[in-house]
């Protein structure tokens, strides 16, 4: 990937021409542009013929290119890539070329990942990222953070994935590496999809598909088409998703790519099962089984999961459990938490079908633990995503500084080679640029302060936003003695408001909810908007009994409010959950109890307030 090397001089003009030709081929291969397999093989063979092992810099550059151009879907080629990397990384000579050494190490880590050795891959990715920053190699930093971010995304670690992929995106854009930028943007879009934001992902996918088609890279365009189908699935648009999957399946079949069509067949079967078209799903699973093997964990795990689902739907829970055992092993190897959660739920259903209640309960219990972990991680990831989006300017500035510094360094080296006298001019230029960077950094710091203020307020309701509200709650939670209460409420059936009246009316309704709830509170209380139609009230020095009374008054007040100014015959109700600080170890635990109470309020018919307490009834009465 990042294979920048010093030029090697030859004594004859013939060698100079050969050298230019070799460098041009390297530039084309390393640009990331789509090259047909036969053409790529021809170019690599040309390089092997025209580069001598004595020309060590170019020889190593070739070895790095050969490492990256092994097929990651082929088990034998994956092993060959790792073996090649091991050979060169063990060489003493390569230590004189740290960028090539680090790039080959990154290549080895990438193939570790495709072998399912994800722990080892992550360890090596972390080392490469650190080494790339020490080398101040902008392209290598982008490459390492891009592949690491893609792995984080697959594993469900979206916070780290976004940090890596956004950083890589800015670096690729700064370096004007169009193809690598597009590939990284594909991973970034996929991260947003996996994160639970398929709408944003679809926006990026549509742009990417158009761009890849313009570049004539139909393989990548078809890959994006498959990702679009997954996003549509997550939006519940199964027919549209199926249409795109079938288009991708047709393309790979026409290209003669058995693996391409087989992996798409796995996804098609999952969509067909959601549409209850079991026989068609079975046919595609049979097709997939010809090529998708256990060493291809990403697709094999879901293929087995879908086969188990088919057996369960056809009242064969025994066979379903057999398939689930295979799927479980594959999910475990690649540490796919999201897939494992789906599996445990299906496993519980299979045991239930056999009336094996003990095992059904055990699987369901494991599912709930995993589901809660995913929810907790998602909440943390959403907070990190907000921070990452607000820090985008900071990341961009830092990346620009890194790119600019590297360009200055390269410029200095060229000038030193040309004339010693120009060294002073380069130093002056460097000081000027450093001054300019410092000036812009100062301006950026001022801008960041303004953004920080804006980041604390919800733009629609002008209430404190989620970040500010949670920070206030964390601060008040630590006050002794414990005396904090929370009211978590949201509008009942708010989706129907947007569907029936439109989003403008929905926005006005949220503004009115903010006004009414704020008017019921004391000066010391805080009302914040923490979600779409979800609000959190923080009540310092308040008991559970007092908070429950306040919540009930608020519920009644909103139910009786005349909202005719918003729309004719318009009315709203809310559901509220209340919790007061008792034995909670953290603000998150207190908030979780309020959320549980809110869920109970909705379960009891909405338009009501329900409290949650960990104390006994006697203790509650005493309080």
């Amino acid at each position: 990937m990042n294979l920048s090397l010093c030029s090697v001089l030859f004594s004859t003009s013939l060698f100079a021409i050969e050298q230019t030709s070799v460098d041009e081929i390297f530039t084309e291969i390393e640009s990331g542009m789509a090259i047909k397999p036969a053409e790529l093989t021809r170019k690599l063979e040309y390089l092997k013929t025209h580069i001598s092992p004595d020309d060590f810099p170019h020889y190593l550059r070739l070895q790095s290119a050969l490492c990256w151009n092994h097929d990651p879907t082929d088990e034998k080629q994956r092993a060959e890539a790792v073996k090649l990397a091991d050979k060169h990384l063990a060489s003493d000579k390569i230590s004189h070329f740290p960028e090539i050494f680090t790039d080959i190490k990154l290549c080895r880590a990438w193939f570790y990942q495709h072998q399912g050795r994800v722990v080892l891959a992550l360890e090596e990715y972390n080392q490469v990222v650190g080494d790339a920053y020490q080398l101040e190699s902008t392209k290598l930093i982008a490459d390492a953070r891009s592949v690491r971010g893609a792995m984080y995304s697959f594993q469900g670690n979206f916070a780290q994935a976004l940090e890596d992929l956004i950083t890589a995106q800015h670096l690729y854009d700064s370096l004007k590496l169009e193809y690598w930028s597009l590939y990284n943007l594909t991973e970034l879009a996929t991260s947003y999809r996996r994160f639970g934001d398929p709408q944003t992902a679809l926006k990026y996918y549509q742009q990417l598909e158009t761009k890849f088609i313009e570049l004539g890279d139909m393989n990548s365009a078809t890959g994006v088409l498959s990702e679009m189908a997954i996003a549509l699935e997550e939006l519940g648009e199964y027919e549209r998703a199926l249409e795109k999957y079938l288009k991708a399946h047709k393309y790979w079949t026409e290209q003669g790519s058995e693996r391409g069509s087989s992996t798409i067949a796995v996804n098609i079967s999952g969509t067909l099962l959601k549409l209850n078209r079991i026989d068609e799903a079975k046919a595609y699973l049979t097709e997939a089984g010809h090529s998708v093997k256990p060493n291809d964990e990403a697709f094999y795990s879901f293929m087995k999961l879908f086969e188990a689902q088919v057996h369960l739907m056809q009242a064969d829970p025994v066979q379903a459990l057999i398939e689930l055992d295979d799927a479980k092993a594959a999910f475990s190897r690649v540490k796919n938490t999201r897939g494992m959660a789906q599996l445990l739920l299906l496993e519980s259903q299979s045991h239930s079908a056999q009336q094996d209640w003990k095992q059904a309960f055990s699987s369901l219990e494991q599912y709930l633990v995993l589901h809660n972990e995913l929810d907790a991680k998602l909440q943390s990831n959403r907070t990190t995503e907000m921070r990452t989006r607000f820090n985008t300017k900071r990341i961009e500035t830092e990346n620009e500084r890194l790119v600019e510094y590297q360009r200055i360094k390269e410029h200095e080296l060229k000038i030193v080679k040309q004339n010693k006298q120009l060294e002073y001019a380069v130093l002056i230029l460097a000081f000027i640029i450093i001054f300019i960077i410092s000036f812009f950094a100062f301006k950026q710091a001022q801008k960041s302060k303004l953004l920080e203020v804006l980041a604390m307020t919800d733009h629609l309701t002008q209430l404190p936003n989620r970040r500010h509200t949670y920070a206030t709650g964390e601060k008040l939670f630590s006050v002794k003695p414990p005396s904090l209460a929370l009211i978590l409420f949201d509008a009942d059936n708010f989706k129907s408001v947007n569907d029936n009246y439109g989003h403008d009316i929905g926005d006005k309704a949220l503004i009115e909810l903010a006004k009414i709830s704020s008017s019921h509170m004391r000066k010391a209380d805080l009302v914040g908007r923490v979600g779409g139609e979800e609000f959190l009230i923080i009540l310092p020095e308040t008991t559970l009994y007092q908070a429950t009374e306040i919540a009930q008054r608020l519920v009644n007040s909103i139910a009786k409010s005349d909202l005719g100014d918003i729309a004719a015959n318009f009315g709203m109700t809310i559901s509220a959950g209340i919790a007061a600080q008792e034995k909670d170890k953290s603000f998150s635990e207190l908030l979780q109890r309020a959320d549980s109470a809110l869920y109970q309020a909705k379960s009891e018919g909405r338009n009501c307030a329900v409290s949650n307490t960990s104390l006994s009834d006697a203790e509650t009465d005493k309080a």
Side-chain angles (χ1 to χ4, degrees):
M1 306 243 307
N2 189 347
L3 305 171
S4 177
L5 295 169
C6 60
S7 298
V8 177
L9 299 177
F10 291 85
S11 58
T12 68
S13 59
L14 176 61
F15 278 137
I17 295 171
E18 286 280 337
Q19 193 60 41
T20 301
S21 177
V22 164
D23 284 337
E24 286 176 352
I25 294 174
F26 271 128
T27 299
E28 181 182 3
I29 292 174
E30 294 160 7
S31 70
M33 67 184 297
I35 304 175
K36 292 182 178 180
E39 180 67 11
L40 178 60
T41 299
R42 188 186 69 79
K43 292 180 184 297
L44 290 173
E45 288 298 324
Y46 177 87
L47 292 175
K48 283 194 254 184
T49 303
H50 289 76
I51 295 176
S52 166
D54 295 330
D55 177 11
F56 204 63
H58 281 88
Y59 176 75
L60 281 179
R61 191 176 182 182
L62 172 60
Q63 302 313 305
S64 183
L66 291 172
C67 179
W68 283 107
N69 284 287
H70 281 82
D71 184 0
T73 66
D74 184 283
E75 184 178 8
K76 183 178 179 181
Q77 289 207 38
R78 289 197 297 258
E80 289 176 355
V82 171
K83 183 178 179 180
L84 177 67
D86 286 339
K87 171 188 172 183
H88 293 297
L89 293 174
S91 169
D92 292 333
K93 291 183 179 180
I94 197 173
S95 62
H96 300 293
F97 305 92
E99 287 195 40
I100 302 178
F101 176 93
T102 307
D103 190 61
I104 292 178
K105 193 173 183 180
L106 178 62
C107 176
R108 182 173 70 178
W110 194 62
F111 281 100
Y112 279 159
Q113 178 186 339
H114 283 80
Q115 286 180 326
R117 302 158 73 183
V118 291
V119 174
L120 187 58
L122 180 58
E123 179 181 331
E124 197 134 309
Y125 281 154
N126 292 337
Q127 292 173 7
V128 170
V129 170
D131 293 342
Y133 273 102
Q134 285 188 343
L135 292 169
E136 297 177 333
S137 173
T138 311
K139 173 65 163 52
L140 193 52
I141 292 169
D143 291 338
R145 298 198 71 169
S146 179
V147 294
R148 186 177 70 174
M151 189 178 80
Y152 276 140
S153 174
F154 178 75
Q155 291 180 333
N157 190 347
F158 304 114
Q160 293 292 335
L162 288 173
E163 289 277 358
D164 275 346
L165 293 171
I166 289 175
T167 298
Q169 193 66 36
H170 284 301
L171 289 174
Y172 284 136
D173 290 341
S174 299
L175 294 170
K176 302 187 185 311
L177 296 170
E178 182 180 29
Y179 289 95
W180 294 120
S181 177
L182 289 172
Y183 300 144
N184 186 79
L185 185 58
T186 303
E187 291 294 346
L188 187 57
T190 299
S191 294
Y192 279 120
R193 173 183 62 73
R194 290 169 174 160
F195 181 74
D197 188 2
Q199 292 287 10
T200 298
L202 277 172
K203 179 184 69 175
Y204 285 134
Y205 287 144
Q206 288 163 357
Q207 296 172 7
L208 285 162
E209 183 187 30
T210 301
K211 189 62 180 177
F212 280 130
I213 291 173
E214 289 176 0
L215 294 170
D217 187 354
M218 295 308 299
N219 285 359
S220 297
T222 306
V224 169
L225 190 69
S226 301
E227 295 292 343
M228 290 173 67
I230 298 174
L232 288 167
E233 256 193 300
E234 292 174 358
L235 289 169
E237 297 185 35
Y238 302 125
E239 293 290 351
R240 286 184 63 197
L242 182 60
E243 178 184 345
K244 293 189 181 298
Y245 277 141
L246 291 173
K247 185 177 178 181
H249 184 267
K250 180 181 178 183
Y251 172 82
W252 292 120
T253 301
E254 291 174 348
Q255 295 298 311
S257 172
E258 184 177 4
R259 183 183 185 277
S261 58
S262 295
T263 54
I264 294 296
V266 174
N267 291 336
I268 291 174
S269 66
T271 306
L272 288 169
L273 287 174
K274 291 182 178 69
L275 294 169
N276 204 32
R277 292 158 63 174
I278 301 173
D279 290 339
E280 292 174 71
K282 286 175 62 179
Y284 280 104
L285 286 169
T286 299
E287 177 190 340
H290 295 150
S291 295
V292 179
K293 303 302 178 185
N295 55 43
D296 192 1
E297 286 93 349
F299 289 97
Y300 182 80
S301 53
F302 280 99
M303 181 181 75
K304 288 297 178 180
L305 181 67
F306 296 149
E307 286 177 353
Q309 189 175 350
V310 168
H311 287 300
L312 184 60
M313 294 172 76
Q314 293 184 329
D316 187 2
V318 174
Q319 188 60 38
L321 289 169
I322 293 173
E323 305 294 354
L324 287 173
D325 283 341
D326 288 341
K328 184 180 291 186
F331 281 130
S332 297
R333 284 194 295 274
V334 294
K335 300 186 182 304
N336 189 333
T337 310
R338 295 174 295 114
M340 187 65 78
Q342 295 179 48
L343 182 146
L344 288 169
L345 186 59
L346 192 61
E347 188 179 69
S348 176
Q349 294 169 355
S350 299
H351 285 305
S352 295
Q354 291 183 299
Q355 297 186 354
D356 186 349
W357 310 119
K358 181 178 179 180
Q359 288 299 325
F361 178 78
S362 176
S363 297
L364 185 59
E365 192 173 36
Q366 293 176 59
Y367 163 77
L368 290 173
V369 169
L370 203 57
H371 186 72
N372 289 336
E373 289 178 0
L374 288 169
D375 282 348
K377 183 181 287 187
L378 184 61
Q379 184 174 352
S380 172
N381 287 338
R382 289 192 184 281
T383 302
T384 304
E385 184 210 24
M386 289 179 64
R387 186 180 72 247
T388 303
R389 290 189 178 189
F390 281 120
N391 286 346
T392 297
K393 283 293 182 184
R394 175 186 61 76
I395 293 171
E396 185 176 1
T397 301
E398 291 176 354
N399 290 342
E400 287 174 354
R401 190 179 308 166
L402 180 64
V403 172
E404 189 64 30
Y405 181 76
Q406 183 163 317
R407 288 172 181 166
I408 293 170
K409 185 171 66 174
E410 292 171 355
H411 187 55
E412 288 175 348
L413 290 172
K414 290 178 182 178
I415 292 177
V416 167
K417 291 177 182 178
Q418 293 173 356
N419 196 318
K420 185 70 175 176
Q421 186 179 3
L422 293 178
E423 182 177 352
Y424 299 104
V426 172
L427 291 173
I428 293 172
L429 179 62
F431 282 124
I432 292 173
I433 292 175
I434 290 172
F435 174 77
I436 292 172
I437 291 172
S438 300
F439 175 78
F440 280 110
F442 173 73
K443 288 292 185 182
Q444 185 61 37
Q446 290 182 318
K447 189 173 183 180
S448 295
K449 289 181 180 179
L450 176 61
L451 285 173
E452 187 174 352
V453 173
L454 294 174
M456 305 292 273
T457 305
D458 175 57
H459 73 281
L460 177 65
T461 63
Q462 296 303 303
L463 292 176
N465 65 8
R466 179 192 188 103
R467 180 183 181 188
H468 185 191
T469 304
Y470 281 10
T472 302
E474 294 279 4
K475 182 178 179 181
L476 291 174
F477 181 87
S478 62
V479 174
K480 304 297 182 182
S483 60
L484 183 65
L486 302 181
I487 301 173
L488 185 65
F489 74 88
D490 68 10
D492 295 331
N493 301 312
F494 189 75
K495 184 177 183 300
S496 64
V497 173
N498 285 329
D499 292 344
N500 297 329
Y501 294 91
H503 288 278
D504 286 344
I505 297 299
D507 287 349
K508 290 179 181 179
L510 291 175
I511 293 170
E512 193 62 31
L513 281 181
K515 290 179 181 178
I516 295 172
S517 56
S518 296
S519 68
H520 279 68
M521 301 304 134
R522 304 165 298 186
K523 289 185 178 180
D525 302 334
L526 181 143
V527 182
R529 184 186 179 197
V530 296
E533 66 271 17
E534 193 171 62
F535 298 78
L536 178 63
I537 302 173
I538 298 177
L539 305 165
E541 299 182 3
T542 305
T543 66
L544 181 64
Y545 176 79
Q546 293 169 333
T548 303
E549 282 195 331
I550 293 170
Q552 191 57 58
R553 285 199 300 270
L554 182 60
V555 169
N556 294 339
S557 176
I558 290 172
K560 295 176 182 179
S561 293
D562 181 8
L563 303 179
D565 291 342
I566 296 177
N569 301 319
F570 185 83
M572 289 191 70
T573 63
I574 65 168
S575 299
I578 311 103
Q581 191 174 354
E582 297 169 356
K583 299 177 181 178
D584 308 280
K585 295 180 181 178
S586 65
F587 175 75
S588 295
E589 285 189 13
L590 177 60
L591 182 61
Q592 182 61 44
R593 291 200 296 109
D595 186 64
S596 297
L598 172 58
Y599 180 81
Q600 185 179 347
K602 288 185 174 295
S603 299
E604 292 180 5
R606 298 184 173 86
N607 192 23
C608 64
V610 173
S611 61
N612 183 311
T613 176
S614 61
L615 296 173
S616 66
D617 293 338
E619 288 174 310
T620 304
D621 293 338
K622 185 178 179 180

